[in-house]
Amino acid sequence: MNLTLKIWRQKNANDKGKMVDYKVNDISPDMSFLEMLDVLNEQLVNKGEEPVAFDHDCREGICGMCSLYINGEAHGPDRGVTTCQLHMRMFKDGDTIYIEPFRAKAFPVIKDLIVDRSSFDRIQHAGGFISVNTSGNTIDANAIPVNKHDADDAFSAATCIGCGACVASCKNSSAMLYVGAKVSQFALLPQGKIEATDRVLNMVKQMDEEGFGNCTNTGACEVECPKGISLENIARMNREYLSAALKG
Amino acid sequence: MSGILNSSIGRKFAMALSALFLMIFLLQHFTINLLSVFSEDTFNSVSHFMGTFWLVQYVFQPILIFGVIFHFVMGFVLEVKNRNARQISYAKNNGSANSSWMSRNMIWSGLAILAFIGLHFYDFWFPEINTKFIQGDMSGLLPNGEYRYFEELQHKFVDVWRVVLYCIAFVFLALHLLHGFSSAFQSTGANNKYTKGLQGFGKAYAIIIPLGFVFIALFHYFNH
């Protein structure tokens, strides 16, 4: 496959940045999208040019490191996959592909296609945990009965890898699917109920302070989420938050 | 409570409550307007009751005006905040791949409805306030002794362009409601086993009510 790539290039956080055109030839349809970018970078290095900076780590859809807004969609046109799991067979010979960083005020661009997603970490620090006595008297988690339905929902919420596709896809740059998943995975379990009130209040407060937008329920986040996190998690977070806020 | 309204979830909850309130009002407005198709006398009697009963005039009406203003002001506030949350737009964005046109353009359908409300107030509400509270005529009667409400209604649908404008506005209302109904329930946290049923009901509501208003406008245009 021969492709034209339109890629966002930005030297650093302060640079204005622009879209730059590149040609790549002889791309195998069986390559992953990131392997295709590796080929491009080899070409650029051989020509003495600066390679395109992009995030990646596990390359098997688990770490949540890869991002990229490809042809107008987070993680590209395929469903239920991260960019590293996206294959070039999703494109046609001669295609022009737009490759941009995830855009949000709360995800500032560091370089080229790499964005700073530490705002997610700060939301987690605000309440995305449970406090457990680890001094030797810890109760085995398996000794606490959990309703199967709740366990399944909590597990589904916990599959969120925090990649930020929800924010990138949302027209409002809202992080409510991410925060909803993190709130839900604890709120549904007995271990998480003890700190539930403070957790949701603190995580939502941090989310707002980071500058994410307001959810308007377009559902784009759910469609583009590589792990299929459901909008139910946002509704659950809304209930948890309203109940916690009324408690004071 | 002020803390709730300063949070993103609190704002969307307040937006949803005002939307649910306005949807209930819309149903009531539609029901009364529909009476004009079946019975001139009944329409006149109900209109006179609604226009003179103290509870409607001095309690429900101010609440309704507050609800309308709150919904629009909060809509603009949220729109500005949301636009500010992404300062650089994508060079290519395929929004239709993951969301409906209605959900992405609530501000535009909302602005069209706001413009229509301006026209509607000019047509009905301002003259009503003038007659009742400036001229002090609470009788609801024409010089010939008949009720004025049905006469005033039909008079407004003589001009074809006004009828066209009303019909276009109701299309925007339908588009707004097609997303707004289910969105309001999601914002209040109501996502459960009834959600699919509610979404179906919401779609029916979003189509039937505006279509009904179009029917009433056309009925009076062709029967005046």
Side-chain angles (χ1 to χ4, degrees):
Chain A
M1 297 165 76
N2 297 327
L3 303 163
T4 301
L5 307 176
K6 288 181 176 290
I7 302 180
W8 180 260
R9 301 302 309 261
Q10 185 174 333
K11 285 187 183 128
N12 53 51
N14 300 319
D15 183 31
K16 204 176 164 197
K18 61 179 180 182
M19 298 297 286
V20 177
D21 290 5
Y22 296 98
K23 298 270 185 198
V24 282
N25 299 325
D26 300 326
I27 296 297
S28 162
D30 297 326
M31 278 181 180
S32 79
F33 198 85
L34 295 187
E35 284 168 343
M36 183 275 293
L37 286 180
D38 291 338
V39 169
L40 169 70
N41 276 347
E42 256 184 55
Q43 283 179 23
L44 293 176
V45 169
N46 288 339
K47 283 197 281 184
E49 293 178 27
E50 180 84 8
V52 178
F54 61 91
D55 265 327
H56 60 102
D57 192 2
C58 75
R59 296 207 177 199
E60 53 186 11
I62 293 170
C63 73
M65 214 39 217
C66 58
S67 51
L68 305 188
Y69 210 70
I70 302 161
N71 271 354
E73 289 183 78
H75 297 299
D78 208 354
R79 291 285 172 261
V81 297
T82 52
T83 297
C84 62
Q85 297 170 299
L86 178 69
H87 283 85
M88 295 312 296
R89 66 180 76 99
M90 293 298 294
F91 303 91
K92 293 196 296 288
D93 182 38
D95 272 1
T96 297
I97 305 174
Y98 283 74
I99 309 169
E100 299 174 75
F102 282 179
R103 296 274 187 214
K105 187 177 155 194
F107 286 172
V109 174
I110 299 169
K111 184 179 182 182
D112 292 339
L113 302 170
I114 298 178
V115 296
D116 178 0
R117 286 170 280 181
S118 57
S119 49
F120 270 14
D121 297 336
R122 290 188 289 276
I123 293 172
Q124 277 291 89
H125 294 166
F129 53 81
I130 58 166
S131 303
V132 177
N133 182 352
T134 55
S135 62
N137 301 318
T138 314
I139 300 170
D140 187 340
N142 292 324
I144 304 170
V146 180
N147 176 295
K148 176 73 167 67
H149 183 73
D150 289 343
D152 287 348
D153 283 352
F155 187 81
S156 293
T159 58
C160 168
I161 53 176
C163 65
C166 47
V167 174
S169 306
C170 175
K171 77 178 187 67
N172 310 317
S173 304
S174 169
M176 286 200 184
L177 192 68
Y178 168 76
V179 183
K182 297 302 171 192
V183 165
S184 291
Q185 75 181 65
F186 295 115
L188 286 159
L189 299 176
Q191 293 92 333
K193 289 195 193 299
I194 302 153
E195 294 159 303
T197 302
D198 286 344
R199 177 182 305 112
V200 70
L201 291 176
N202 292 338
M203 290 181 83
V204 170
K205 182 169 177 274
Q206 189 64 38
M207 173 182 76
D208 290 346
E209 284 174 7
E210 295 291 347
F212 291 105
N214 300 272
C215 171
T216 51
N217 307 314
T218 66
C221 53
E222 184 184 53
V223 174
E224 299 293 351
C225 174
K227 298 299 165 189
I229 301 295
S230 163
L231 288 178
E232 278 178 35
N233 293 294
I234 298 182
R236 186 177 296 107
M237 174 177 66
N238 293 345
R239 290 196 298 273
E240 289 274 322
Y241 181 84
L242 293 166
S243 155
L246 288 172
K247 275 185 208 165
Chain B
M1 281 300 283
S2 62
I4 294 181
L5 279 179
N6 285 330
S7 73
S8 52
I9 293 180
R11 282 191 291 267
K12 65 186 251 180
F13 180 66
M15 191 71 180
L17 284 188
S18 63
L20 290 169
F21 170 71
L22 292 177
M23 284 189 281
I24 292 168
F25 163 73
L26 200 63
L27 184 63
Q28 172 257 316
H29 195 329
F30 171 70
T31 307
I32 294 175
N33 282 22
L34 194 61
L35 292 175
S36 70
V37 171
F38 299 109
S39 165
E40 182 178 335
D41 289 342
T42 312
F43 176 75
N44 274 329
S45 303
V46 174
S47 297
H48 186 66
F49 170 77
M50 296 296 284
T52 52
F53 185 46
W54 66 270
L55 190 64
V56 176
Q57 285 300 299
Y58 304 116
V59 180
F60 292 162
Q61 188 164 254
I63 292 173
L64 173 65
I65 292 168
F66 174 78
V68 170
I69 292 171
F70 179 87
H71 193 73
F72 278 108
V73 170
M74 187 59 93
F76 288 126
V77 168
L78 290 175
E79 181 68 18
V80 169
K81 281 181 176 290
N82 291 341
R83 282 177 187 257
N84 193 40
R86 176 170 295 138
Q87 291 167 332
I88 301 174
S89 302
Y90 289 111
K92 183 171 183 178
N93 187 32
N94 189 9
S96 60
N98 51 40
S99 54
S100 68
W101 185 92
M102 288 79 79
S103 71
R104 297 193 308 276
N105 292 283
M106 290 296 274
I107 187 68
W108 299 114
S109 54
L111 279 169
I113 295 165
L114 183 61
F116 167 73
I117 288 177
L119 174 68
H120 195 55
F121 272 30
Y122 172 79
D123 278 350
F124 291 100
W125 197 70
F126 292 140
E128 187 72 12
I129 294 296
N130 178 46
T131 304
K132 286 193 302 201
F133 300 111
I134 296 174
Q135 295 178 18
D137 178 7
M138 299 295 280
S139 69
L141 299 173
L142 293 166
N144 64 8
E146 290 181 3
Y147 274 127
R148 60 183 165 83
Y149 306 103
F150 187 82
E151 173 76 19
E152 286 173 355
L153 176 72
Q154 278 212 321
H155 179 71
K156 291 299 174 196
F157 294 114
V158 170
D159 178 15
V160 66
W161 289 110
R162 183 171 259 96
V163 175
V164 169
L165 274 178
Y166 268 62
C167 292
I168 292 171
F170 290 128
V171 171
F172 279 105
L173 178 65
L175 294 171
H176 202 72
L177 289 171
L178 274 169
H179 175 67
F181 192 98
S182 58
S183 177
F185 281 96
Q186 165 80 6
S187 291
T188 59
N191 190 324
N192 49 40
K193 62 182 178 180
Y194 304 111
T195 300
K196 282 210 162 161
L198 266 175
Q199 283 173 344
F201 179 77
K203 278 186 183 153
Y205 179 96
I207 292 166
I208 291 169
I209 300 290
L211 204 62
F213 276 116
V214 168
F215 167 72
I216 294 165
L218 292 175
F219 177 86
H220 289 296
Y221 174 72
F222 289 111
N223 289 284
H224 66 259

